[in-house]
Amino acid sequence: ILDVKNNCTCMRVIDQSNAAERSFVVSSAWNEDGSLFAMVGGRSNLAIYDSRLSSPDNWELLFSISLKATISSLCWGPSVKKGLQYLAFGGGNETVAILEIKAREQTLWETVLQIPCNANINDLVWNNKGLICIGDDDGTVSVVDLSYLKSGKAVSEMNYNWQRQGVISQTKLTRNLGRNAITSLCCQSPSAAFDINTLAVGGSDGIFEIIDLSERGQLQAAPK
C-alpha cells in the first residue's frame, strides 16, 4: 500500500505469496466509500479488509475465502447503505459470483448469486446504475442488470423472481467471437452536470470501443 502524498512511500506490505508454489496478486479494489478493501491472490485466496483507519498497518482482516477456481478479476457494486455491500469476482470457472457482505457488529457474508458465462472471465466492472459488465476469453461482453441489489434489502429478504430476472435479462456484445479475448472494461462515471452510461471495451484484437449502455435492450457504439 503506497502513500501517493508522500513520494509513494510504502505504508504496508500484505503478503499473498506462497512458498510452495508460484503465486501472485491478481486483482484488488476499494469499495465506493473506501471503507472496505478486497484483494485476491496467492492460491485464489480472497481477502476483505476494513480500511477505514488511515494507517494500513491498522487495517483489520474481516475474513478470507479459499476459492477452488483461479480468480482473475473482482469489483465492488455501487454502495447500497451502511453495512451492506456487494462484491463480484470471476475467472477460470466461467462463473461470476456475487458476494453479499453485511459489515455490522459482526461481519457476515454469503454467495447470493452466480452468473454463468461461456468462457473464462478476464475483467469485471459494475456501474452505479447497477449494471455489471463481464468480459470473457471468447470475445463477449455480457451486461447484466443487478439494479435490484440497490434496494437496501438483503437478498434473503427479496422475492426470488427479482434474482431470476436479473440473471436472465442479459445483453451481449460479441466481437470476433472465438478469435478475440475481452481484456479491459471501464465504465465512465456520471457527474452532477450530465448523465453518462457508457462502457469502454478493449480486446486482444487491438480494437477499443466506446459502448452506449443507455438502451439496455441493445448495445451500440456511442457517437464520435
Side-chain angles (χ1 to χ4, degrees):
I1 307 295
L2 303 180
D3 183 357
V4 296
K5 293 183 178 180
N6 190 21
N7 297 321
C8 289
T9 304
C10 181
M11 301 176 70
R12 179 177 178 181
V13 174
I14 301 175
D15 191 355
Q16 286 280 303
S17 63
N18 184 282
E21 59 184 84
R22 180 175 177 269
S23 58
F24 46 87
V25 174
V26 178
S27 186
S28 61
W30 267 284
N31 70 337
E32 194 171 86
D33 65 8
S35 62
L36 296 173
F37 180 74
M39 63 184 299
V40 63
R43 301 166 63 185
S44 288
N45 182 64
L46 174 66
I48 309 294
Y49 290 85
D50 182 342
S51 57
R52 289 174 296 177
L53 297 175
S54 58
S55 173
D57 283 333
N58 296 323
W59 289 1
E60 177 188 359
L61 176 62
L62 297 177
F63 62 88
S64 64
I65 309 170
S66 181
L67 304 169
K68 295 181 180 179
T70 300
I71 303 302
S72 55
S73 183
L74 59 80
C75 69
W76 291 94
S79 291
V80 179
K81 64 179 182 179
K82 186 176 181 180
L84 185 62
Q85 301 282 339
Y86 292 95
L87 177 71
F89 57 89
N93 63 345
E94 302 182 3
T95 301
V96 175
I98 307 296
L99 207 66
E100 182 179 78
I101 301 170
K102 301 174 183 177
R104 298 188 176 96
E105 292 182 1
Q106 181 182 5
T107 301
L108 303 174
W109 63 270
E110 64 175 319
T111 302
V112 293
L113 191 63
Q114 296 195 61
I115 304 171
C117 300
N118 295 323
N120 293 343
I121 296 151
N122 294 326
D123 203 7
L124 298 168
V125 66
W126 200 337
N127 75 2
N128 69 343
K129 294 180 180 293
L131 301 180
I132 186 168
C133 304
I134 307 163
D136 69 27
D137 250 353
D138 200 34
T140 300
V141 178
S142 302
V143 182
V144 185
D145 185 355
L146 298 182
S147 57
Y148 68 90
L149 294 178
K150 299 175 63 178
S151 69
K153 293 182 179 180
V155 170
S156 61
E157 302 171 3
M158 296 182 188
N159 186 311
Y160 173 74
N161 288 332
W162 284 27
Q163 302 176 51
R164 182 175 180 274
Q165 184 66 24
V167 175
I168 65 175
S169 297
Q170 296 190 29
T171 305
K172 292 183 179 291
L173 165 69
T174 59
R175 193 172 77 211
N176 296 327
L177 189 63
R179 296 178 288 109
N180 170 48
I182 303 300
T183 55
S184 178
L185 299 174
C186 183
C187 282
Q188 188 174 8
S189 300
S191 69
F194 53 94
D195 187 30
I196 297 175
N197 199 18
T198 52
L199 173 71
V201 180
S204 61
D205 56 3
I207 297 174
F208 190 81
E209 291 181 293
I210 305 296
I211 307 299
D212 182 3
L213 296 177
S214 57
E215 293 295 334
R216 296 184 184 182
Q218 62 182 3
L219 291 177
Q220 61 184 16
K224 296 181 180 179

